[in-house]
Amino acid sequence: MKKKNGLYFLGFILVIIFIAEMIGIQSIPVGKVRISILPLVFAVLIGMVLGIPAFRKGVLKKVYAKENVDFAGKYLIFIMLPLMARYGADVAPKLKEILSVGWVFLFQELGNVGTVLIGLPIALLLGLKREAIGATLGLGREGELAYISEKYTLNSPEGRGVLSLYLIGTLFGAIFFSVFAPLLLSFGFDYRALAMSSGVGSASMMTAASSSLVAMMPENESVILSYAAASQLLTSFLGTYTMVFIAVPLQSFMYKLLTGGKKNDKTRAA
């Protein structure tokens, strides 16, 4: 990366973070449902809009220079590692709490393989090839991003798949969950079950879902937030093992079965 372009790149990132934090969490009422939009969503939106070729002029042209984009993709894993370490540090003091929440939280971890069972066939039908491996291993959050990055690198077809899902989840996931959770509540689902299901392994999605539930049932705020946090913690802890020991072998078997064992490019098999 050129030093001058790198400075522009760093300054651009800091400005986007500042603007997103100044905007803060915005809650939009839609009928009985409140859609919570987090600063993370605004940051991604600003970065995407300014990256449109028509806007890439002057300083922005230097910010979105190819070497900057390549650098960001190549070293994104180093940004994720501290987050992975924090998950581990959060889990250790609360192992007793995790073990006491019951088998219901453990049972929901089986849902992590749903992206493989349902998403992989659909992705292949839509024409994706090796990209489907990265896009359907899970929700494409930090755990999947770290795994795919380590095994294939983010510049591979698998890496493009998981990175695309990561960005889509960041942009639309929080909005979807902030609508979907209260919608199911209006259909008669138990708020505790919805709070538990909020912990899907994504902090932004969990916050959006639980905040929307709290907005509709403020009298149960402590229960909703505690169930959502416990579920999120458990998913972050067990989700990695579910991915490595269940989802990855299952995906490898299904990919070979659905593609007839043929390789679609020069990357190594799953």
Side-chain angles (χ1 to χ4, degrees):
M1 181 192 294
K2 295 180 181 179
K3 186 176 180 180
K4 190 173 182 180
N5 285 351
L7 291 175
Y8 282 124
F9 187 56
L10 179 60
F12 178 71
I13 292 172
L14 293 175
V15 169
I16 286 183
I17 292 173
F18 177 78
I19 294 174
E21 289 297 330
M22 288 296 292
I23 295 174
I25 300 175
Q26 298 297 319
S27 185
I28 304 173
V30 180
K32 295 182 179 180
V33 178
R34 297 189 69 85
I35 302 175
S36 298
I37 304 178
L38 305 177
L40 183 63
V41 176
F42 291 113
V44 173
L45 275 174
I46 294 171
M48 289 178 63
V49 170
L50 294 180
I52 296 174
F55 296 140
R56 277 188 281 174
K57 299 176 181 179
V59 175
L60 287 180
K61 187 176 182 180
K62 297 178 181 179
V63 169
Y64 287 95
K66 187 178 185 301
E67 59 265 24
N68 285 348
V69 176
D70 291 341
F71 177 86
K74 184 178 180 180
Y75 293 101
L76 182 62
I77 182 61
F78 292 103
I79 300 174
M80 297 301 158
L81 289 177
L83 185 59
M84 296 297 103
R86 180 184 173 182
Y87 278 153
D90 286 342
V91 167
K94 298 184 180 181
L95 279 176
K96 186 176 180 181
E97 177 185 335
I98 292 173
L99 295 174
S100 68
V101 295
W103 63 270
V104 176
F105 285 97
L106 296 174
F107 184 74
Q108 79 166 19
E109 289 308 306
L110 295 176
N112 284 341
V113 301
T115 54
V116 175
L117 292 172
I118 300 173
L120 183 60
I122 294 176
L124 293 174
L125 285 173
L126 291 174
L128 294 181
K129 296 181 180 179
R130 300 293 296 182
E131 292 84 358
I133 293 174
T136 63
L137 185 56
L139 284 178
R141 306 322 295 165
E142 288 77 12
E144 291 82 15
L145 191 65
Y147 178 85
I148 293 294
S149 176
E150 286 290 330
K151 186 170 183 179
Y152 302 102
T153 77
L154 292 179
N155 290 323
S156 65
E158 294 87 350
R160 290 194 294 272
V162 71
L163 193 56
S164 296
L165 196 68
Y166 184 84
L167 291 173
I168 291 172
T170 300
L171 186 59
F172 298 108
I175 297 175
F176 174 81
F177 270 82
S178 65
V179 174
F180 196 59
L183 183 64
L184 291 179
L185 181 65
S186 66
F187 285 157
F189 281 77
D190 191 291
Y191 71 93
R192 291 167 296 184
L194 294 174
M196 278 192 283
S197 65
S198 300
V200 295
S202 167
S204 59
M205 296 180 194
M206 183 272 287
T207 301
S210 57
S211 298
S212 297
L213 291 173
V214 168
M216 295 187 70
M217 303 186 72
E219 68 278 7
N220 294 313
E221 178 178 1
S222 60
V223 176
I224 292 172
L225 295 181
S226 62
Y227 273 54
S231 177
Q232 175 72 7
L233 188 63
L234 192 60
T235 299
S236 300
F237 177 56
L238 291 182
T240 300
Y241 298 99
T242 304
M243 174 186 66
V244 172
F245 295 110
I246 299 178
V248 169
L250 177 62
Q251 187 187 59
S252 179
F253 170 76
M254 288 184 60
Y255 184 85
K256 291 176 182 176
L257 179 67
L258 294 172
T259 61
K262 297 178 180 179
K263 294 182 181 180
N264 293 300
D265 53 40
K266 295 182 180 179
T267 57
R268 55 187 182 271

